[in-house]
Amino acid sequence: MISQEKNSGNADTPGVSVRTGRAHPVTLRDVAEAAGVSTATVSLVINKKKNARIADETRERVSAAIRQLGYRPNAMAKNLVSGTSRFIGLVADGVATTPLAGQIIHGAQDEAWKNGYALLIASTEGSRDLEADAIAMMLEYKVRGILYSTWFHRPTDIPETLREADFVLVNCFSPEPGAARAVVPDEAQGGRSATEILLRRGHVRIAFINAATPALARDGRLQGYKDALEAAGIPFDPDMVLEAAPDQEGGYGATKELLRRNVTAVYCYNDRMAMGLYDGLRENGLSIPDDIAVVGFDNQEVIAAHLRPPLSTVSLPHYELGAAGVRMLLGLDGAPIESAVKVMCPTIERASVTAPPAA
Amino acid sequence: MISQEKNSGNADTPGVSVRTGRAHPVTLRDVAEAAGVSTATVSLVINKKKNARIADETRERVSAAIRQLGYRPNAMAKNLVSGTSRFIGLVADGVATTPLAGQIIHGAQDEAWKNGYALLIASTEGSRDLEADAIAMMLEYKVRGILYSTWFHRPTDIPETLREADFVLVNCFSPEPGAARAVVPDEAQGGRSATEILLRRGHVRIAFINAATPALARDGRLQGYKDALEAAGIPFDPDMVLEAAPDQEGGYGATKELLRRNVTAVYCYNDRMAMGLYDGLRENGLSIPDDIAVVGFDNQEVIAAHLRPPLSTVSLPHYELGAAGVRMLLGLDGAPIESAVKVMCPTIERASVTAPPAA
DNA sequence: CTGAAAGCGCTTACAG
DNA sequence: CTGAAAGCGCTTACAG
């Protein structure tokens, strides 16, 4: 009867604490000996093999031994035999570069776990070298597949070695159509939804403060704005589209121009710009939503939910992107075509919108 | 001469694409045969063993074969032999619950990677069951050690199974002193630094809007405020400490009370409160920093760096917490005593503070 | 300078 | 109902 071993942490880094490094861990064989059976039998009861016919009495003897010895199966050995691991790799070009990006990890982790997989992550900070190392590492660990993600929605080259694995692109996609499976947010639908929040309340003169920097989101969100207007029978007026840096300063700075437009509502490229715009509007004695209605994009909680008044916006579905990526990898999401699957951006209504003053 | 295998992704999930699952991957033996040497030799050249004396000619033949076949070592087999993996596990009670918490992952990932380890993460969402499963999984993968982290600084119970591994607590600690290694932020120092930003500019009448909800941070940050005052020879006035909900609404709501205090500066429990306070102050026609100086805590970038004016604050060192946790685990950070190691909260000065009006 | 052999901890047919 | 044996892909003494 061996006393419960409380330990592990092998001492390959000498000079650390007093851990007894490798105190010959309990193995299957130990359990077998303790229970007086063969290792095959132990393996059978542990894995609850259906067609294995083991006497209940034996089964119990084995279970008791396992508990006694505090046995832990060695996943490495298991995987060696089976040829695969229960790992899914996630390589990201920035782990927590933006608060939203972290949600990709979160979604992937939850979904992976739900399906019995563990998440192996690596952040490359945009370095091609680190990226190659990360992918190599994952390949060596025989991951089930790899999620290759970017922190902002964009086209991307597929690293050569990535092709050695089963993979899906998350929040990015290959410029060559059909080159790889991918999940991305539906920017156009998001832009349309954002605009519709305003339309529904009766706004007609709606400005759009877009990002001045090129980005897929910029084109998509503008397209959505146009689509919504068109569907509502409102002619698109290019003059109603302003451009500014996609942050608070940009939103604030756009105030003056905006006020020349005589609008009753604004849709901002993102929540940060909306936050800056709030300041600008207030300085001009305008109140939100009564004088002017505002909607944002991203649903960056810390900001959107706590502005005064709270901001109506459209959510960037990063959590869902991560989760969908895993499902796609595992083939759980009905056969996705070999072109990027678009995930919907849900509408989040808060208090920054009411009917226009005139209406 | 085998053609370069582009593939992997074994088909244990049928119905997925057309991957050829398990196309008998290239092994050491294949390389050995191709190079006309023994597997031992191949192993030796791959691992660049110092004392292995291999003919240069042989070495090259092996390297060529490796390239030819596109050989990838099987990490599982490697680890089986060595007994350890190059994994470090990170269990978190919320992966991206808060933007800051994600930085723990980031720091841990970078530092782990730097030392040749990969990060295995699991988020438990506070469920003890999920947590136990996550730890068991990590134990089975023979991780080098486990980082057990919480998204806000607090005392925590140590899960029984965690003790089977080498571990360190990150952003939390055991109530029983000496029970475990831990890294936490130095809240008191942070509070002191925050207050000192104000003191240095000559402020004397400094209010502190603390969180109304119990938390370690609340006590520590208050203590720091007192310490700074005392060091500056300013008597502590309990009346200068207000309490409110630790978010924008709380900060905003505290404005009225604050203005009764006749202060020239405020130190807020966190940046979110400061953001709310900005609104409140403005509504009262007060300007920052001229009429009143403001400092926050956390350095939540999206907010602090983009408020109008940008907010001086103190940074919660989450990235460093994650990195220090890994170093501590690996014994790289000079023998830490068996009591929580405190990581400094750096001062971040921006434009929300100038000298007081009277001074 | 290099090869044959044992072994890491499991699982899986195959006997019995 | 259960055990003996081979094998997963590597590494490590040990010979030579």
Side-chain angles (χ1 to χ4, degrees), chain A residues 4-17 19 22 25-26 70 72-87 94-97 99 102-103 105-106 109-110 113 117-125 130 133-137 139-144 160-161 163-167 181 247-249 252-253 272 275-276 279-280 282-283 300-303 305-308 310 328-332 335 338, chain B residues 4-17 19 22 25-26 70 72-87 94-97 99 102-103 105-106 109-110 113 117-125 130 133-137 139-145 160-161 163-167 181 247-249 252-253 272 275-276 279-280 282-283 300-303 305-308 310 328-332 338:
Chain A
Q4 180 111 0
E5 290 276 345
K6 292 284 162 112
N7 173 340
S8 130
N10 97 326
D12 69 355
T13 15
V16 190
S17 65
R19 315 248 160 207
R22 277 301 209 101
V26 184
R72 293 258 178 221
N74 182 326
M76 297 296 174
K78 233 161 156 163
N79 291 332
L80 213 212
V81 176
S82 75
T84 2
S85 69
R86 299 295 285 184
F87 287 135
V95 160
T97 313
Q103 291 297 333
I105 301 184
H106 194 188
Q109 134 77 33
D110 283 1
W113 196 257
Y117 286 87
L119 237 212
L120 211 44
I121 72 167
S123 89
T124 66
E125 309 309 318
L130 271 182
D133 288 351
I135 294 175
M137 177 280 268
L139 254 18
E140 295 182 7
Y141 274 107
K142 308 301 173 197
V143 294
R144 170 63 183 76
E160 206 43 51
T161 51
R163 298 180 192 278
E164 286 181 47
D166 202 2
F167 70 97
R181 287 177 293 171
D247 56 18
Q248 287 89 333
E249 290 72 15
Y252 177 80
R272 305 176 65 195
M275 175 172 159
D279 281 351
R282 258 188 306 238
E283 276 184 17
Q300 197 157 359
E301 285 282 334
V302 239
I303 292 177
H306 300 279
L307 244 18
R308 172 163 315 279
M328 205 175 272
L329 187 71
L330 298 180
L332 269 32
E338 293 275 336
Chain B
Q4 180 110 359
E5 291 276 344
K6 292 283 163 110
N7 172 342
S8 129
N10 97 326
D12 69 354
T13 14
V16 189
S17 65
R19 315 251 159 205
R22 277 300 210 103
V26 185
R72 294 258 176 222
N74 181 326
M76 297 296 174
K78 233 162 157 160
N79 291 331
L80 214 212
V81 176
S82 75
T84 1
S85 69
R86 298 296 285 185
F87 286 134
V95 160
T97 314
Q103 292 296 335
I105 300 185
H106 194 188
Q109 134 76 33
D110 283 1
W113 196 258
Y117 286 89
L119 238 212
L120 210 44
I121 72 167
S123 88
T124 65
E125 309 309 318
L130 271 182
D133 288 350
I135 295 174
M137 177 281 267
L139 254 17
E140 295 181 7
Y141 273 105
K142 308 300 173 198
V143 294
R144 170 62 183 75
E160 206 42 51
T161 52
R163 298 181 192 278
E164 285 182 47
D166 203 2
F167 70 97
R181 287 178 293 171
D247 56 18
Q248 286 89 334
E249 290 72 15
Y252 177 80
R272 304 176 66 197
M275 174 172 160
D279 281 350
R282 258 188 307 238
E283 277 184 16
Q300 196 157 358
E301 286 281 336
V302 240
I303 293 178
H306 299 280
L307 245 16
R308 171 164 315 279
M328 205 174 270
L329 187 71
L330 299 179
L332 268 33
E338 295 273 335

Side-chain angles (χ1 to χ4, degrees), chain B residues 56 76 80 87 100 117-118 120 127 141 188 210 223 253 257 295 303-304 313 327:
Chain B
D56 281 354
M76 297 296 174
L80 214 212
F87 286 134
L100 286 165
Y117 286 89
L120 210 44
S127 150
Y141 273 105
N210 203 355
Q223 188 56 53
E257 262 307 307
V295 326
I303 293 178
T313 187
R327 286 197 301 271

Side-chain angles (χ1 to χ4, degrees), chain B residues 151-181:
Chain B
W151 69 270
F152 75 94
H153 182 185
R154 63 179 174 79
T156 185
D157 289 331
I158 298 172
E160 206 42 51
T161 52
L162 188 56
R163 298 181 192 278
E164 285 182 47
D166 203 2
F167 70 97
V168 357
L169 270 19
V170 175
N171 207 28
C172 54
F173 58 94
S174 168
E176 321 152 34
R181 287 178 293 171

Side-chain angles (χ1 to χ4, degrees), chain B residues 41 43-56 59:
Chain B
T41 302
S43 173
L44 258 17
V45 348
I46 286 180
N47 297 302
K48 305 193 182 69
K49 287 292 174 188
K50 288 288 143 197
N51 36 359
R53 5 176 86 240
I54 314 267
D56 281 354
R59 216 177 273 279

Side-chain angles (χ1 to χ4, degrees), chain A residues 31-305:
Chain A
V31 175
E33 280 171 8
V37 299
S38 75
T39 59
T41 302
V42 178
S43 173
L44 258 16
V45 347
I46 286 179
N47 297 302
K48 304 195 183 69
K49 287 294 175 189
K50 288 286 142 196
N51 37 358
R53 6 178 82 241
I54 313 266
D56 282 354
E57 193 270 331
T58 309
R59 214 176 274 281
E60 302 215 332
R61 211 141 29 88
V62 172
S63 302
I66 288 175
R67 247 172 292 121
Q68 286 277 355
L69 306 181
Y71 170 70
R72 293 258 178 221
N74 182 326
M76 297 296 174
K78 233 161 156 163
N79 291 332
L80 213 212
V81 176
S82 75
T84 2
S85 69
R86 299 295 285 184
F87 287 135
I88 285 178
L90 170 62
V91 356
D93 63 353
V95 160
T97 313
T98 165
L100 284 165
Q103 291 297 333
I104 292 181
I105 301 184
H106 194 188
Q109 134 77 33
D110 283 1
E111 191 67 30
W113 196 257
K114 202 177 296 175
N115 290 285
Y117 286 87
L119 237 212
L120 211 44
I121 72 167
S123 89
T124 66
E125 309 309 318
S127 150
R128 275 308 204 186
D129 283 350
L130 271 182
E131 181 178 282
D133 288 351
I135 294 175
M137 177 280 268
M138 291 174 179
L139 254 18
E140 295 182 7
Y141 274 107
K142 308 301 173 197
V143 294
R144 170 63 183 76
I146 297 178
L147 257 36
Y148 183 87
S149 79
T150 53
W151 69 270
F152 75 93
H153 183 184
R154 63 178 175 81
T156 185
D157 289 331
I158 299 173
E160 206 43 51
T161 51
L162 188 55
R163 298 180 192 278
E164 286 181 47
D166 202 2
F167 70 97
V168 357
L169 270 20
V170 175
N171 207 28
C172 54
F173 58 94
S174 169
E176 322 151 34
R181 287 177 293 171
V183 237
V184 299
D186 192 340
E187 307 278 2
Q189 166 271 315
R192 177 164 177 162
S193 292
T195 311
E196 286 173 347
I197 296 175
L198 268 4
L199 254 14
R200 268 201 301 279
R201 295 304 189 110
H203 291 276
V204 173
R205 296 197 52 81
I206 303 172
F208 174 34
I209 308 185
N210 203 356
T213 43
L216 235 116
R218 180 193 184 214
D219 305 335
R221 293 174 195 186
L222 172 58
Q223 189 55 54
Y225 167 75
K226 290 180 179 171
D227 292 348
L229 252 31
E230 181 173 349
I234 300 173
F236 169 67
D237 175 0
D239 206 45
M240 292 295 252
V241 179
L242 314 186
E243 289 193 337
D247 56 18
Q248 287 89 333
E249 290 72 15
Y252 177 80
T255 315
K256 211 167 128 192
E257 263 307 307
L258 176 74
L259 295 182
R260 292 219 183 87
R261 300 296 190 279
N262 178 35
V263 297
T264 61
V266 211
Y267 148 40
C268 297
Y269 173 79
N270 67 21
D271 295 346
R272 305 176 65 195
M273 292 178 88
M275 175 172 159
L277 182 64
Y278 266 47
D279 281 351
L281 257 19
R282 258 188 306 238
E283 276 184 17
N284 282 275
L286 263 17
S287 99
I288 305 167
D290 299 321
D291 295 328
I292 195 152
V294 180
V295 326
F297 203 114
D298 285 3
N299 192 31
Q300 197 157 359
E301 285 282 334
V302 239
I303 292 177

